[in-house]
Amino acid sequence: YFGLIMAMYSLGFVIMSAFSSFYLLDIGLKSGQIGILIAIGSFLAVCFEPIVGGLIDRHPKVSTRKSLFMLSVLIFFLGIALILIPSGQLTAKTVVYGVGILALMLAQPFYNALGIDTLRSGRVFRFEVGRAMGSLGYAAGSSGFGFVSTIFGPKCVPAFFCGAFLVLALMLVFSPIDKPLQRKEGKEKHSLGNPYLLLKKYKRFAIMLIGLIGIYFSHTC
């Protein structure tokens, strides 16, 4: 089930992210503006990730699955908005797509956290299989949607990622994965979470993150 969720997220991701230039160039943005838009969305996602992670850790009623469901629903409605906004409204379409990129990137690390929730719940689970299915979903999306986009053109991008995230939201609703550990109220102190203090405490982890930044920077270029 986790593998299917990963595959569907990767399918929506490739349509919305990899084909973003295909769509945004068509509505009137220039290549440099597209780069700035995606960079801003990604940067804001990095800023919000510790906040969302802190909420999941501190509040028993807020789980990884529910958070991902809300982000999927948000992306679905943003896709609907892009379809309904008139073609001449470049600024509105740009802002809506930018918020979509923010939600897309914000969700990404929490799908790994969803796998960890599965492991902690005691279910039989192979994380590598789930991740592999996510890669297969990305490959299938790249190939399949590349063919579809040549038939329907750039304007089909919002409709297809909208459909992908609607299916993903439904999958998350019926997912058996949820927050596995019950906390005893009144016996734990929760901090708001400080990335600087975390990296200061785990110096090797900080070095590893610097290496990962280099890998993804190269991969993106």
Side-chain angles (χ1 to χ4, degrees):
Y1 206 103
F2 174 73
L4 291 173
I5 289 174
M6 289 298 299
M8 185 54 63
Y9 171 73
S10 298
L11 176 63
F13 186 97
V14 73
I15 296 172
M16 192 172 185
S17 179
F19 288 86
S20 58
S21 294
F22 181 62
Y23 174 76
L24 294 171
L25 284 171
D26 181 70
I27 67 172
L29 288 185
K30 297 179 181 179
S31 297
Q33 293 172 326
I34 294 171
I36 292 171
L37 178 66
I38 295 175
I40 292 173
S42 300
F43 174 76
L44 290 176
V46 171
C47 295
F48 281 112
E49 281 163 9
I51 298 173
V52 176
L55 287 173
I56 293 172
D57 286 339
R58 293 196 311 274
H59 298 285
K61 293 184 179 180
V62 180
S63 67
T64 307
R65 181 179 63 85
K66 291 176 182 177
S67 301
L68 291 174
F69 168 76
M70 289 187 286
L71 287 171
S72 297
V73 170
L74 173 61
I75 294 174
F76 167 75
F77 281 112
L78 291 171
I80 294 294
L82 287 170
I83 295 170
L84 297 178
I85 294 173
S87 57
Q89 301 293 326
L90 177 60
T91 301
K93 283 182 175 286
T94 302
V95 171
V96 170
Y97 207 96
V99 175
I101 291 293
L102 165 61
L104 182 73
M105 297 300 181
L106 178 60
Q108 191 172 25
F110 294 104
Y111 280 96
N112 288 333
L114 190 67
I116 300 302
D117 280 356
T118 309
L119 283 172
R120 294 168 65 194
S121 67
R123 294 181 176 89
V124 177
F125 176 69
R126 292 184 63 184
F127 188 79
E128 71 277 13
V129 174
R131 289 294 303 172
M133 290 179 68
S135 297
L136 286 173
Y138 193 96
S142 300
S143 177
F145 189 72
F147 175 74
V148 170
S149 64
T150 60
I151 299 174
F152 296 101
K155 290 181 174 58
C156 76
V157 171
F160 276 85
F161 78 66
C162 183
F165 280 95
L166 174 61
V167 173
L168 180 59
L170 293 174
M171 292 176 70
L172 288 165
V173 167
F174 295 104
S175 170
I177 303 167
D178 212 329
K179 186 176 291 186
L181 299 180
Q182 298 294 328
R183 295 178 174 84
K184 295 180 180 179
E185 296 182 3
K187 293 187 177 181
E188 293 187 14
K189 294 182 179 179
H190 301 289
S191 65
L192 293 176
N194 188 319
Y196 173 74
L197 294 178
L198 175 69
L199 298 178
K200 184 178 179 181
K201 182 177 180 180
Y202 301 102
K203 295 182 175 61
R204 291 185 179 181
F205 181 62
I207 294 171
M208 185 192 75
L209 287 181
I210 294 172
L212 286 174
I213 290 170
I215 290 173
Y216 278 99
F217 182 83
S218 174
H219 171 73
T220 304
C221 292

